[in-house]
Amino acid sequence: MQIKDQNTDFETRSLDTICVNESALDHKWYHNIKYLIVGVLFGILFIKAEVISWYRIQEMFHFQSFHMYGLIGSAVVVGAISVFLIKKLNVKTIYGEKIEFHDKTFNKGQIFGGLIFGFGWAMTGACPGPLFAQIGTGATVMIVALLAAIAGTWVYGYFREKLVH
């Protein structure tokens, strides 16, 4: 009798970054305040750089301005250099834990996911990061986009095992 190959939960999780670098340390609730502070500062940076501007995002999708492409390209370069340095210098977390990078295999689900993400971004003028900053600046209509992002995340989680990975 032959057993059908089936991914275990660990094997499925190893295909994406869920729990790969999860910290084993247990902290008190107030240790999360640092993330709140960084998030607020990041939101202010988004506002000042006009990353959350619906008009800037529409300019990008209409190929009318280099502003957003320059910001995104700069972020990619900084990220690539950071990953290179973390690997080369064997940098650890601030708590001394090893940072691991795992190779990912390409699959067509990434194309579909990227298209859905891009269409949503083009239609709403926001990706998930700036949504909170947009709401914080008073663009309360973005609450609808936030709820749609949450619903999309839930739908993905519900159908995750049936989707192409």
Side-chain angles (χ1 to χ4, degrees):
M1 184 163 121
Q2 199 166 10
I3 299 173
K4 180 182 174 190
D5 284 348
Q6 190 173 29
N7 284 343
T8 64
D9 187 51
F10 173 76
E11 289 167 335
T12 301
R13 287 179 180 265
S14 70
L15 297 174
D16 37 352
T17 56
I18 298 172
C19 301
V20 171
N21 285 321
E22 187 173 3
S23 176
L25 300 175
D26 190 25
H27 295 290
K28 302 272 187 208
W29 68 269
Y30 52 82
H31 278 80
N32 291 330
I33 292 174
K34 62 187 169 213
Y35 302 114
L36 175 66
I37 293 168
V38 169
V40 168
L41 293 174
F42 202 58
I44 291 169
L45 182 68
F46 272 7
I47 292 165
K48 294 296 184 184
E50 296 184 356
V51 174
I52 67 162
S53 168
W54 184 87
Y55 296 104
R56 285 289 188 184
I57 293 167
Q58 291 305 308
E59 284 177 346
M60 176 185 69
F61 281 111
H62 290 122
F63 301 105
Q64 296 171 336
S65 174
F66 183 74
H67 181 83
M68 291 297 287
Y69 293 112
L71 284 166
I72 293 168
S74 299
V76 168
V77 169
V78 168
I81 292 170
S82 299
V83 169
F84 172 78
L85 291 174
I86 288 170
K87 288 179 176 180
K88 188 79 170 164
L89 302 175
N90 200 22
V91 175
K92 297 187 182 326
T93 69
I94 60 173
Y95 299 109
E97 296 174 309
K98 184 179 188 313
I99 300 173
E100 297 179 26
F101 293 94
H102 299 274
D103 292 334
K104 306 274 289 171
T105 56
F106 178 81
N107 63 63
K108 61 183 175 185
Q110 294 164 336
I111 300 290
F112 298 131
L115 286 171
I116 292 169
F117 181 87
F119 287 140
W121 192 11
M123 288 189 312
T124 63
C127 68
L131 276 176
F132 297 101
Q134 288 174 323
I135 293 168
T137 61
T140 55
V141 70
M142 296 314 287
I143 292 172
V144 174
L146 176 63
L147 294 174
I150 291 169
T153 303
W154 181 86
V155 167
Y156 171 76
Y158 186 81
F159 291 107
R160 181 171 189 261
E161 293 182 16
K162 297 175 183 74
L163 297 173
V164 177
H165 282 99

